[in-house]
Amino acid sequence: MRRNAGLFVAISLLSGFGSSAMTLVAGIWILDLTGSTGLAALAGLCVYAPVLAGPLLGGLLDRAPRRPLVIAVNLLLAASLLALLAVRGPGQTWLIFAVSCAYGVSYVLIDAGETALLPSALSPTELGDVNGWRSSAQEGMKLVAPLVGAGLYAWHDGHAVVVLSAAMPVLVATLYAAVRLHRTPPDQPAPRRNGLRTGLSVLFGQRATRVPVTLAAVSIAMSGFTTAAIYAVVTTELRLPTTFLGVLASAQGAGSIVGGLIVGRLLARRGPVAVGVAGTVLFALGLLARCLPWWPVTIAGALVAGVGLPWTLVAAVTAVQTHTPSALLGRVSATANTAMFGPLVVAIPLGGAAVHLGARPPLVAAVVICLTAVVVTHPRPQSLRSARRMADRDPATR
């Protein structure tokens, strides 16, 4: 088991490094070729837009052997990245967009595939720890990979980054092949109907997955909604240089690394629902701290938010892995990713519009939305006790 855990963490390190470096450089490359900031921003949209097709793409993982499919997707991703070696001028910009879309599709398949493979490679007690370690590895790469990618681009344009990024999926495919799938998780009765509704019915039909996924979706959406507001707080309210945003990003990244390392123990003791609630509350407190007109508190808020946000994500992923029939784990995992990350497509532009009301109103609104989600999805203990007493008195439940 420890061998498999190490392999999955290494997979997260390599894949996180390659994707973070290439995603940044794709935008810079387009900007240099076309001079258009709008086109450069579209590269990022191409990467994240395929998550909306998660339920459809995830169905492939339930119809084919998962490990061979994930290995094949990684190798195809490497081949598509090498196509960028043909980019020589503005006329080949379309290739960067095409490969960005391929990256997005592969991200949906690989992420859902890995989520589905983990229960077959690890014991249930290890899932929380390994999911947390994977989260820390990915956040750590977000701090390192953009610097390496930008440095390589400055040294020898985008082709050097392409070669490095293309090597990562090949190494990842090799590690997937080395994973020992020596156990089959206990299955649960699977719904008989097929199609898009299956993933949604399994995901939201039980409280054990519905609550953590909903809280993660709300928190992640609010992280996108408040991006423009945080920029405005730094530049307008605190009157600090834009480089201070890098300090906040580093603080949040450090919080995410620490949060990922400890979330496994919390999941083992409290369960995904409680950890999802705690993560959402911490994230809301981090946003609230950024409303205060003092830069040390703003940094502390970024650190706290960095701890809370991965807790919501890891809690949701672990809940899906432990409460989903194995035959449906591919599509349910992909549906969960769509539910959690899809709202960003709407939340980011809404946040850009809301910041015209001022820097702090969007932050306060996000705090209210997060805490409301906690209250709505997590009833008070007194309410739970009342519900249980009513169930005990109902003859139909006996």
Side-chain angles (χ1 to χ4, degrees), residues 189-250:
R192 293 182 179 180
R193 63 179 183 272
N194 296 315
L196 294 177
R197 293 183 179 179
T198 303
L200 291 171
S201 64
V202 174
L203 189 63
F204 293 105
Q206 51 186 340
R207 182 176 182 272
T209 52
R210 180 177 64 250
V211 173
V213 170
T214 299
L215 292 175
V218 170
S219 300
I220 292 170
M222 291 303 99
S223 72
F225 179 75
T226 55
T227 298
I230 292 169
Y231 290 171
V233 165
V234 170
T235 59
T236 305
E237 302 294 331
L238 298 178
R239 298 187 182 279
L240 295 170
T242 54
T243 51
F244 186 74
L245 291 168
V247 176
L248 293 183
S250 296

Side-chain angles (χ1 to χ4, degrees), residues 318-389:
T318 305
V320 168
Q321 290 169 336
T322 53
H323 295 283
T324 301
S326 60
L328 298 176
L329 196 47
R331 77 186 68 184
V332 175
S333 298
T335 302
N337 285 339
T338 299
M340 291 186 290
F341 293 99
L344 283 173
V345 177
V346 177
I348 292 174
L350 281 179
V355 79
H356 292 292
L357 300 175
R360 292 188 177 90
L363 291 170
V364 174
V367 170
V368 172
I369 291 171
C370 287
L371 296 181
T372 300
V374 169
V375 173
V376 170
T377 62
H378 194 63
R380 292 175 297 176
Q382 183 62 38
S383 300
L384 288 174
R385 285 194 293 269
S386 299
R388 288 169 184 163
R389 284 197 298 268

Side-chain angles (χ1 to χ4, degrees), residues 30-314:
I30 293 172
L31 181 59
D32 285 346
L33 289 173
T34 66
S36 171
T37 55
L39 288 176
L42 284 178
L45 182 61
C46 288
V47 173
Y48 291 108
V51 75
L52 297 175
L56 286 173
L57 295 173
L60 296 175
L61 292 162
D62 294 330
R63 299 187 186 98
R66 288 165 182 165
R67 176 160 57 178
L69 181 60
V70 170
I71 290 174
V73 170
N74 272 284
L75 295 178
L76 288 173
L77 174 60
S80 67
L81 282 167
L82 291 176
L84 293 179
L85 295 176
V87 175
R88 301 295 177 188
Q92 291 83 44
T93 303
W94 66 272
L95 270 175
I96 303 178
F97 286 113
V99 172
S100 295
C101 288
Y103 233 127
V105 172
S106 69
Y107 169 78
V108 174
L109 287 171
I110 293 170
D111 192 64
E114 186 171 326
T115 300
L117 285 172
L118 276 164
S120 299
L122 303 169
S123 66
T125 57
E126 291 179 306
L127 285 174
D129 281 326
V130 174
N131 284 330
W133 298 339
R134 290 168 58 224
S135 175
S136 293
Q138 291 165 356
E139 292 299 325
M141 288 301 98
K142 289 178 183 179
L143 297 178
V144 176
L147 295 176
V148 175
L152 279 177
Y153 183 86
W155 172 60
H156 198 60
D157 66 43
H159 295 139
V161 184
V162 166
V163 173
L164 178 62
S165 296
M168 297 299 108
V170 176
L171 294 174
V172 167
T174 304
L175 293 180
Y176 274 124
V179 172
R180 295 173 180 169
L181 302 180
H182 48 71
R183 66 180 301 272
T184 301
D187 208 348
Q188 304 170 27
R192 293 182 179 180
R193 63 179 183 272
N194 296 315
L196 294 177
R197 293 183 179 179
T198 303
L200 291 171
S201 64
V202 174
L203 189 63
F204 293 105
Q206 51 186 340
R207 182 176 182 272
T209 52
R210 180 177 64 250
V211 173
V213 170
T214 299
L215 292 175
V218 170
S219 300
I220 292 170
M222 291 303 99
S223 72
F225 179 75
T226 55
T227 298
I230 292 169
Y231 290 171
V233 165
V234 170
T235 59
T236 305
E237 302 294 331
L238 298 178
R239 298 187 182 279
L240 295 170
T242 54
T243 51
F244 186 74
L245 291 168
V247 176
L248 293 183
S250 296
Q252 183 162 339
S256 297
I257 292 172
V258 173
L261 293 175
I262 64 177
V263 68
R265 295 181 181 179
L266 292 176
L267 285 168
R269 294 177 182 177
R270 301 295 183 182
V273 172
V275 173
V277 169
T280 303
V281 172
L282 282 177
F283 179 68
L285 292 176
L287 293 178
L288 190 61
R290 299 185 200 194
C291 295
L292 300 177
W294 192 32
W295 66 263
V297 178
T298 304
I299 295 176
L303 186 67
V304 171
V307 173
L309 194 59
W311 281 9
T312 65
L313 179 59
V314 173

